[in-house]
Amino acid sequence: MTQTTLMSIPGQIDPVPVARDITPREDGRVDLIGLPKDRIRELFDEAGLDAKQAKLRAKQVFHWLYHRGVTDFEAMTDIAKTMRPWLAERFFIGRPDVVEAQHSTDGTRKWLLRTSDGHEFEMVFIPDADRGTLCVSSQVGCTLNCRFCHTGTMRLVRNLTPGEIVGQVMLARDALGEWPKGSMAGLEVEEDSAQYTSDGRLLTNIVMMGMGEPLYNFDNVKGALKLVMDGEGLALSKRRITLSTSGVVPAMERCGEEIGVNLAVSLHAVTKEIRDEIVPLNKKYGIDELLEACAAYPGASNARRITFEYVMLKDKNDTDEHAHELVRLLKHYKLPAKVNLIPFNPWPGAPYECSTPERVKRFSEIVFEHGISAPVRTPRGRDIDAACGQLKTAAEKKSRAQRDREAAEALEPAATA
Ligand code: SAH
Ligand code: SF4
């Protein structure tokens, strides 16, 4: 079925085995979603248009794809009628397939999505009073195995392509009915679409906090976010985009320089012993190295602070001493910081429990008393397993159950023999 092979990520960044090859479409058409305008122009050129035509058509098509959200060449009304079938024969406008869409009682929505070659991944939309945040995945699964994270227990990992990453944002706009008027023919607009912003959009912010470690899929994440930030594309400000990393130090500077979005760092512990246990990447890039990279993060300032995520694990990382040490470290490295305390979201078989509410409150107060903002993040969408660290596809859960059953069956004859 899927034809993926295991390869290392080349270059300086860590040699993490990731299945990377994408199965080409059977009909041979090229999916345009995820491609920058120049690449679209090149493809039109290679397909036989002269240079001037290729440039003009690329500009028009790019606008229809990313600004208007159309999924059919026939809807591109400023392109000659005869040209549209020519495009449709050679090209394709993809979206990830929706396997399942769930709605939480608190308004959070989760979509189980599938790539064209059959890999499943998830995205989550979190509406709030003054914003709507889309939590986007960068990989199918994750290679990093943080001990408190369900995604880290997935066996299969593949990098998502730029098209599959930006496709999540486009799909969310489809579902929320948020493309500029004139492209909505055939789409059902939800009646409960409240107006959040002056331009009437619900989807105002993006966080790269879904499945996967975005800095282990740097080029694809960069390509996708460039399209999201492009004024002629999805046109979302870089100030409304946050990338969360577990601490891939060698890629952090590039992230600030080449992508320029806000940074969130999954710190989660303040001693080597504890961070080594819960975020094993710490054995490679320790706390000091990580915080030095944060201090050097291009674009960070008091107006654009770095978010330090800290998951609250009972009797593990949640004492008063830990809170004081956190303050000391952030001050020592002179970090423009805010701390986000995340109550641990449990999943079946997880080796930790969440700290008590009193403990979380006290921890927050200590950090706050030292002048650093430390709000406690309200868990959202727990009833549909959409909260931080709970993302793991139903198919994976099922296949695990299936595997267990098969293992039990395999044992049976031996037991009776
Ligand atoms: N891989 C990236 C981004 C995805 S995870 C990273 O680790 O930063 C988004 C956030 O959710 C991270 O801070 C992660 O540590 C946190 N998280 C993972 N599992 C969790 C859980 N079970 N409960 C609460 N937060 C969790
Ligand atoms: Fe991967 Fe982030 Fe989960 Fe760690 S917390 S396993 S880096 S997704």
Side-chain angles (χ1 to χ4, degrees), residues 142-146 148-149 151-152 210-213 246 266 268:
C142 184
T143 49
L144 281 175
N145 309 113
C146 298
F148 50 85
C149 175
T151 308
M211 292 174 150
E213 168 50 58
S246 55
S266 294
H268 302 318

Side-chain angles (χ1 to χ4, degrees), residues 116-160:
S116 59
D117 61 347
H119 296 289
E120 290 182 350
F121 60 104
E122 295 183 328
M123 81 173 182
V124 177
F125 178 70
I126 308 147
D128 264 310
D130 59 347
R131 66 173 65 182
T133 306
L134 188 70
C135 182
V136 171
S137 290
S138 56
Q139 299 182 309
V140 173
C142 184
T143 49
L144 281 175
N145 309 113
C146 298
R147 279 200 84 201
F148 50 85
C149 175
H150 210 191
T151 308
T153 65
M154 280 178 69
R155 282 153 39 109
L156 183 70
V157 180
R158 134 139 130 65
N159 280 336
L160 292 174

